[in-house]
Every structure is written in structure tokens, then in C-alpha cells.
Amino acid sequence: MNYPEELIQMIWKCRVYAKLDLRCLHGEPVRVLDPGIHNHNAGPDFVQAKLIIAEITWVGHVEMHWHAKSWYTHQHQKNDQYDNVILHVVWEGECDIKRKDGSVIPTLQLKNYLASTVLPLYYNIIQAKTWVPCANQLENVPAHIKIQVLDRLIKNRMEVRAKEISNVLGRYANDWERVARYLFVTSFGTKVNKQAFSRLMDSLPSNILDRYLHKEVEMESLLFGQAGLLKQDLADSYYTMLKHTYSYLQQLHQLTPMESREWLFSRMRPANFPTLRIAQLAAVFTQFSRLCHLIISARDFRELQQYLATLSTSAYWSTHYRFGTITKVRETGLTPSFLDHIAINCFAPLLYAYGQHQGDENLQERALDWLHQIPAERNTITAHFGQFGLLAQHAGDSQAQLQLHREYCEPKQCLSCAIGVHLIRRP
């Protein structure tokens, strides 16, 4: 098997090798005081390393290769960036390597100092055909390592979300209220209709939406009309009234609606039909106009949920999931589980991103705290991790699991994962 260079970098970074009596190929003793900072950009693999070689203390760069001759293959001897390399760490040291000025760089051959189990353990993990590479070994990972991984990854996931939100903020000319509405609206779509809800939000200029806040009929007409869901002829008086109202608003504001085919209804519970969700959105915009202020000023996300739990759609939707089809009378408010979904996908990310934008770490910590108070999500990924011994105690953990699976497990980036490193380096 051809092993990736990342493996030898991990061995060096995590000091998996035997640390005593290290010697270069020509016998010079080496002591590693600091392996350096892992450089993910162009240039040597580790910078600012601190080593003692032949009783002399050196501070500089360390370069890694499986074979020493790769130094010349990559033309490092001609590159000024590599003049400050103080140690060449390799698996096979078949030749001396030199700087641009011709001076020899000490070479450490790591295979002389590595336990014989490391490469087979890596091979077994990376070649595994299980759901995630380490699935059958997760139970062997100590609890504190799992906790550390999840704690780090929830922050990582929130940083990713904050970057996404920053892009939306730029698109909306630094209007945080529009950003809050966008996140709120797209969270209503869940995974299936998220893109359609995003398109709906983008199709409605903010000034037009603002104009009809607190006007129930006009707001529903705008949202359903722009969604492309008022193009049919139905024998339904409420539908006809919305259609006529939208026709007037469309002409007044020169609006272009979406296509109805963009909305998915199949294999979906009626409570998640986009028609009912759009009606609920209209109720939110009618009754709660300043979403961003509401989210940012809330000390407890349960306050937000209590506010939203009181909303009511127009009476029509208590007997309909779709236009023209009557059902039994029921409540049309947002359920506690759906409000948790909104908190995970809108409230917490917005609060974190706003705190980052304002340089307010208290807001960022509050956002993380909110995720720790919400029950863990239930989906295929969290269920599989739970089955193999990585349990989610709250939404912070389940969000971290999603990040772990996407960023590390699927692309098999085990060498960048603390769980993978632990399994490879264990005796």
C-alpha cells in the first residue's frame, strides 16, 4: 500500500515514535523540544520547530517525505523557502539531501523508531468497509477523547455556519434582519425543501415584505403567489381570494413567481407539507416583525420558542394541509420538536455569527449553550454513531457528529481526527 504523506506528518506531530535515543542517518543525536506548527500552505511541513541536534539547539523548519529522494523530485534544493529546514524526516533515507547552498541537512529515518503496529493499524482503519472507517473500534476509544472531539467539532461547525452567514450578510448588504429572515425561512424547508424556501426568500425584496407585515391576507398572498402555488383554478373560495390578491400585488410590484414544481410533497408527512409551512411563515411575519432583534436580545432560547408557540395561522389551515383538500380540525402552531429544529438551524447559528461579527464572545458562548440545552437530533448519522458507541447527549453533540461525518469520516481524514490518531497510535 502507498501510504499518504499525512501519515508521517501525524507520526511526527503526535510524537508516535520512540522519543529516546533518536539519531540521524549519520549518527547525530536528536532531541525534539517542539515539533513545530503544522503548515498547511506552501512551504515546509512544519515551521518554528525547536530541536537539539548534536548538542546544538536549532529553531527552524522540518520537511517530511516517505523517501529522502523526494526532496529532489520536488525541487526543494532550488526553493528559497526550504533554506531554513533544519531536519528532514523520512521513512526511507536512501540519500543525503542538500540546501540551495549545497549544505547537507540532517535526516531522521522514522521507521527505525516506530512500533511495528502503527502501519497495520492505519491500513486496517483506512481499508475498512464499515459505515465509518473506525466503526468497529469506536468502543475502544476513551470517553474523554470522544468528548474532546465533539466539543471541538461543535465549535468548528458553528464557525462554518458563521462563514456561510457572513456570505449571506454580504449578499443582503449587511442587513441582519434580512439574514435572520433568510435563516428562519430556510430552516422551515428542512432538508427536502430548503432550496425552494431559499429561492422564495430571494424572490421577495425586503422592502416589499416589510410593507405587508401585520397584514395577514396580503402576506399569505405574497408568499404563496411567489412560491408559484396560486397558478391553478380551484373551487376554493380562500384560494381564489389569495390568488386575486396576489394578482394585484404581482402587477403592483412587478414580481416574478417561482415554479410550483420546485416544491416537493412526496414521501412527506402532511405536517411538513410546504403549503402548511408557508402558512406558518406568513403567521410569523404577520405577528413577529423584528426577528433578528428578537433572537439577539433573548437571554434564553426558550423565550423565543414560547413567543413562536403562540402564533396561529389563518383559520383555513386548521382544516387544510393543501389548497382544496379538507381535513379534520387540528392545531396549526409550531410543535416543540420543530421549534427545536429552528433553534438549531436558525437561532444558535445567527447568534454565534452575530457575536463573531460584533466581537462579542458572550453571544457566541450563549449560542453554544443553547445547543447544549436542546435534545439531540435523531437522524441516520446520529443513530449510526450511537450504535457504535459515540452517543449524542444534546444538540451540540448531534451537530458535532454531523460535522465529524462530513469533514472526517466520509473523506477518510482519519489522520486529522483525534479518534483516528488514538486508534493508530495505541499499543
Side-chain angles (χ1 to χ4, degrees):
M1 177 181 180
N2 292 322
Y3 294 100
E5 199 166 284
E6 289 80 6
L7 178 55
I8 200 168
Q9 291 169 357
M10 182 277 290
I11 292 169
W12 174 259
K13 181 179 180 178
C14 299
R15 305 192 191 202
V16 178
Y17 52 84
K19 303 171 187 63
L20 299 177
D21 199 27
L22 291 175
R23 290 186 178 273
C24 296
L25 286 178
H26 294 295
E28 310 98 307
V30 181
R31 188 147 60 96
V32 181
L33 303 179
D34 186 336
I37 301 168
H38 198 172
N39 174 33
H40 298 281
N41 301 311
D45 294 314
F46 289 82
V47 298
Q48 300 177 34
K50 188 174 183 180
L51 315 172
I52 298 177
I53 304 174
E55 306 305 322
I56 300 174
T57 301
W58 298 79
V59 176
H61 308 329
V62 177
E63 177 65 2
M64 311 268 165
H65 293 111
W66 276 98
H67 295 275
K69 62 185 178 182
S70 296
W71 177 272
Y72 296 109
T73 304
H74 299 161
Q75 300 288 298
H76 293 333
Q77 79 279 10
K78 298 179 181 180
N79 191 332
D80 293 341
Q81 286 185 304
Y82 292 84
D83 281 348
N84 288 330
V85 170
I86 58 176
L87 183 67
H88 191 211
V89 178
V90 301
W91 187 257
E92 292 284 354
E94 61 271 88
C95 63
D96 286 335
I97 56 104
K98 298 178 181 180
R99 299 182 182 90
K100 190 176 181 181
D101 64 4
S103 58
V104 175
I105 299 174
T107 297
L108 176 66
Q109 185 170 265
L110 266 188
K111 72 175 184 179
N112 299 339
Y113 304 100
L114 197 66
S116 61
T117 57
V118 172
L119 296 187
L121 284 170
Y122 171 77
Y123 179 86
N124 290 338
I125 289 176
I126 214 68
Q127 293 296 318
K129 304 300 182 183
T130 49
W131 176 70
V132 293
C134 64
N136 293 333
Q137 301 181 57
L138 261 176
E139 61 182 5
N140 298 323
V141 178
H144 73 275
I145 292 179
K146 295 177 184 177
I147 292 171
Q148 289 171 1
V149 167
L150 294 180
D151 283 349
R152 181 176 64 83
L153 284 176
I154 182 52
K155 291 181 181 178
N156 179 253
R157 186 167 180 83
M158 293 299 276
E159 290 291 330
V160 171
R161 293 301 310 276
K163 186 175 181 180
E164 294 170 352
I165 292 169
S166 178
N167 292 336
V168 176
L169 182 65
R171 196 166 80 234
Y172 288 156
N174 292 322
D175 185 341
W176 279 100
E177 183 57 41
R178 288 193 70 188
V179 172
R181 287 177 185 169
Y182 175 85
L183 291 177
F184 192 82
V185 169
T186 53
S187 70
F188 263 61
T190 62
K191 187 176 182 179
V192 176
N193 281 304
K194 181 176 181 179
Q195 288 302 114
F197 273 100
S198 175
R199 286 260 297 114
L200 174 60
M201 191 62 192
D202 285 339
S203 75
L204 271 171
S206 187
N207 63 318
I208 295 176
L209 199 62
D210 288 342
R211 185 169 174 175
Y212 299 102
L213 296 174
H214 309 302
K215 296 182 179 180
E216 183 178 274
V217 172
E218 287 82 352
M219 183 59 71
E220 275 201 43
S221 300
L222 268 178
L223 293 181
F224 279 113
Q226 283 302 100
L229 297 173
L230 296 177
K231 296 180 179 180
Q232 293 178 289
D233 292 321
L234 295 178
D236 182 307
S237 59
Y238 189 77
Y239 175 88
T240 302
M241 181 264 293
L242 294 180
K243 184 177 180 180
H244 286 165
T245 303
Y246 175 69
S247 180
Y248 167 74
L249 296 174
Q250 181 186 18
Q251 189 172 19
L252 177 65
H253 299 297
Q254 296 296 296
L255 298 171
T256 302
M258 299 167 57
E259 295 295 329
S260 60
R261 65 175 178 271
E262 295 184 54
W263 300 95
L264 302 177
F265 288 82
S266 61
R267 295 184 179 181
M268 187 177 294
R269 293 173 56 249
N272 285 324
F273 279 179
T275 39
L276 180 58
R277 292 302 186 202
I278 291 173
Q280 291 169 334
L281 268 180
V284 171
F285 288 152
T286 301
Q287 298 169 44
F288 307 103
S289 57
R290 298 179 63 198
L291 274 176
C292 185
H293 175 75
L294 196 66
I295 295 168
I296 302 304
S297 61
R299 303 300 304 178
D300 187 337
F301 79 96
R302 296 296 180 193
E303 294 176 22
L304 298 172
Q305 293 186 321
Q306 287 170 4
Y307 280 126
L308 294 171
T310 63
L311 73 82
S312 57
T313 65
S314 55
Y316 178 86
W317 295 103
S318 64
T319 55
H320 293 77
Y321 286 113
R322 302 180 72 162
F323 289 114
T325 304
I326 299 176
T327 63
K328 293 180 180 179
V329 178
R330 69 189 185 287
E331 296 292 327
T332 59
L334 300 174
T335 63
S337 61
F338 193 70
L339 287 169
D340 284 342
H341 166 80
I342 294 173
I344 293 168
N345 292 282
C346 174
F347 299 162
L350 180 76
L351 186 63
Y352 190 93
Y354 186 82
Q356 185 182 79
H357 187 267
Q358 299 298 116
D360 190 335
E361 293 184 1
N362 289 330
L363 291 181
Q364 292 176 277
E365 287 300 320
R366 189 190 305 168
L368 294 171
D369 184 57
W370 285 2
L371 290 175
H372 283 74
Q373 297 178 50
I374 302 171
E377 300 152 278
R378 295 181 179 180
N379 52 51
T380 303
I381 291 174
T382 60
H384 272 97
F385 272 126
Q387 177 185 350
F388 292 113
L390 186 63
L391 300 174
Q393 304 296 330
H394 45 68
D397 284 348
S398 57
Q399 284 285 292
Q401 288 178 337
L402 297 178
Q403 190 73 1
L404 175 63
H405 186 258
R406 185 179 71 178
E407 298 295 328
Y408 296 92
C409 301
E410 279 195 323
K412 291 195 173 183
Q413 293 295 313
C414 306
L415 296 173
S416 300
C417 171
I419 291 174
V421 170
H422 170 80
L423 291 172
I424 292 168
R425 70 185 299 182
R426 62 183 175 153

